[in-house]
């Protein structure tokens, strides 16, 4: 509830205005029975037309004010609910940008999407209804009891007894529904996960003829969710009939007892009418409040799930370390006895790694699967924090930079080329927002992407589908490379980003990089030996350890791991 309280404090002006409108609506609602009693007892029964007219005008004025207050109350309630949705979405989105890869993986993509969409929508909707239907209820109910007691204490006791029975029953229902609501949201996460995998993996599913298995998995997820939803609806289905039963019995007792008191001349007919109206208003507000209250457990569950994310203390933070950015011997990136282990892993994936990358040079990293190649890129970007040692850029520990400042020093091309929906230009400007047309054209040229982009009807203004699905794998890789090259940074990292390129394009791209990127340090992580043969230095990794450093020719002579990789690829070609 912490963030809900912070929101209410931040929007206290609007909250106060909403409460005033709801208060006006409640007071107007309670005044009507009082005025009706006056018309009956002092006007109709006494035949006083002037009194009827006077009270009638008062009723019209009260109705007018009550209507205005109700409309404004509804408007402000909806406005605050919408503001709450925006506030929570903004908070959780910003928080997601702070989380480490490990923390994000712990939550899960499907769960994060559910929390950001469904959970916040449920919370927003329930909050708006709660403002209109639950918040005014205590005031209306309390005032109705007081005004009923003022008229007749015995009838007030009947009303109080009805309210107590009603509240006890509602509390039992709400307590049971809270437990089920928590399960429902978790199962909704699971449904989203199954559907997401089925949609994104549709090609693989069909290629393996695995449709029946996926249907069974989806059915199981749907049935689990449906079972709990049925239980929840059964609880609510029991609630309404019993509520109306309590209301009917209360009304019957009040009317019967009021009739007896009226025959004994202890009550006026108008007073009986007023008490009846107060009872109807009280129980009606209770019904509305309870009907809305059954959604509160779900709202609480949603709020808890949102706050669970917001309360995560990011493991990667900006540290206030002394920063001494001094470039020594043209060294841009330097690893100094770096070791790293993933959370929950038994062994370090990087072990006492030391190397340096200099301006104008290309450093290639190669090794078998799981040797720690891509981890090096993640460590430079500080997507993970190292356990021992130090990584420096221009002589300064990367932890002395803010995360934004650090990542503004690196041009990164991920292992899996990812484009965002929009245009090619939008994707290029993601690399550098203020890039000129000339700079974007140059980046496309170096990345060997200019030829196919120029053939598109709209050039760089051409649309990009979600994930870049309207481009081939090689085209996506070249556009991803161009996006990184638009940035003017001291170091570029290419994480196995030439894998979808044919040999001719691969060779032309590497030649272009060598000719145009003489003022930067380039790190190429690759699987293919042919991609890195002309690198200034090649780092060979094996199980996280550096087992060879040198040029291609040197490593072919003195590094058995590199020899094995090279020979295996040559054998594949010969086959």
């Amino acid at each position: 509830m912490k963030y809900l309280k912070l929101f209410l404090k931040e929007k206290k002006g609007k909250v106060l205005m909403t409460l005033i409108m709801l208060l006006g609506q409640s007071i107007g609602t309670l005044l009507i029975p009082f005025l009706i009693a006056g018309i009956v007892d002092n006007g109709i029964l006494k035949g006083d037309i002037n009194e009827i007219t006077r009270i009638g005008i008062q009723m019209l004025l009260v109705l007018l004010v009550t209507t205005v207050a109700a409309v404004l109350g509804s408007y402000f309630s909806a406005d605050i609910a919408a503001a709450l949705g925006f506030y929570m979405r903004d908070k959780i989105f910003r928080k997601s940008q702070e989380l480490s890869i490990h923390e994000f993986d712990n939550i899960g993509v499907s769960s994060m999407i559910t929390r950001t969409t469904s959970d916040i929508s449920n919370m927003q909707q329930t909050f708006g209804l709660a403002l209109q239907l639950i918040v005014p209820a205590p005031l209306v109910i309390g005032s109705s009891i007081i005004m009923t007691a003022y008229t007749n204490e015995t009838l007030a006791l009947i009303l109080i007894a009805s309210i107590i029975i009603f509240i006890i029953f509602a509390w039992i229902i709400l307590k049971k529904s809270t437990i089920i609501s928590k399960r429902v949201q978790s199962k909704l996460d699971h449904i989203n996960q199954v559907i997401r995998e089925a949609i994104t993996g549709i090609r693989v599913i069909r290629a393996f003829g695995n449709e029946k298995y996926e249907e069974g998995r989806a059915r199981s997820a749907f049935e689990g969710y449906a079972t709990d939803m049925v239980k929840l609806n059964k609880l609510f289905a029991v609630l309404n009939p019993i509520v109306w039963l309590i209301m009917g019995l209360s009304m019957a007792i009040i009317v019967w007892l009021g009739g007896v008191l009226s025959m004994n001349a202890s009550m006026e007919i108008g007073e009986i009418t007023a008490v009846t109206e107060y009872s109807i208003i009280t129980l009606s507000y209770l019904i509305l409040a309870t009907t809305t209250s059954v959604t509160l457990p779900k709202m609480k569950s949603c709020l808890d799930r949102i706050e669970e994310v917001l309360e995560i203390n990011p493991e990667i933070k900006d540290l206030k370390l002394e920063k001494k950015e001094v470039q020594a011997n043209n060294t841009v990136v330097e690893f100094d006895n770096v070791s790293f282990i993933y959370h929950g892993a038994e062994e370090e994936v990087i072990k006492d790694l030391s190397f340096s990358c200099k301006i104008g040079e290309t450093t290639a990293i190669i090794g078998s699967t799981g040797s720690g190649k891509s981890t090096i890129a993640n460590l430079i970007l500080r997507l993970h924090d190292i356990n021992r040692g130090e990584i420096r850029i221009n002589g300064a520990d990367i932890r002395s930079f803010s995360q934004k400042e650090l990542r503004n020093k690196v041009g990164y091309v991920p292992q899996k080329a990812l484009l965002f929906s929009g245009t090619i230009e939008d994707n290029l400007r993601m690399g550098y927002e203020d890039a000129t047309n000339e700079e974007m054209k140059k980046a496309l040229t170096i990345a060997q992407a200019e030829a196919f982009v120029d053939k598109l009807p709209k050039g760089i203004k051409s649309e990009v589908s979600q994930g870049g699905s309207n481009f081939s794998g090689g085209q996506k890789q070249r556009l991803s490379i161009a996006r990184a090259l638009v940035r003017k940074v001291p170091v570029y990292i290419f994480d196995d980003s030439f894998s979808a390129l044919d040999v001719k394009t691969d060779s032309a791209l590497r030649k272009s990089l060598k000719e145009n990127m003489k003022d930067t340090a380039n790190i190429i992580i690759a699987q293919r030996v042919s991609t890195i043969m002309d690198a200034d230095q090649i780092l060979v990794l094996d199980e996280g350890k550096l087992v060879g450093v040198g040029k291609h020719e040197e490593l072919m002579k003195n590094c058995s791991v590199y020899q094995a990789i090279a020979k295996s690829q040559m054998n594949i070609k010969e086959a």
Side-chain angles (χ1 to χ4, degrees), residues 443-468:
L444 289 169
T445 301
I446 297 172
Q448 308 301 301
E450 185 182 21
F452 81 80
V453 171
D454 285 346
K455 289 179 183 178
L456 297 172
K458 296 182 181 179
I460 63 170
K461 300 288 185 182
S462 299
E463 290 294 321
V464 177
S465 300
Q466 185 178 7

Side-chain angles (χ1 to χ4, degrees), residues 318-319 321 382 385-386 389-391 397-401:
D318 292 341
L319 306 175
L321 300 178
R382 209 175 163 223
D385 263 341
I386 60 177
E390 192 174 285
I391 302 173
D397 189 327
I398 61 170
R399 290 168 293 190
S400 65
F401 300 106

Side-chain angles (χ1 to χ4, degrees), residues 124-139:
Q124 176 181 326
Q125 191 175 33
T126 303
F127 181 75
L129 290 172
L131 277 178
Q132 296 181 64
L133 303 178
I134 296 178
V135 171
L139 172 66

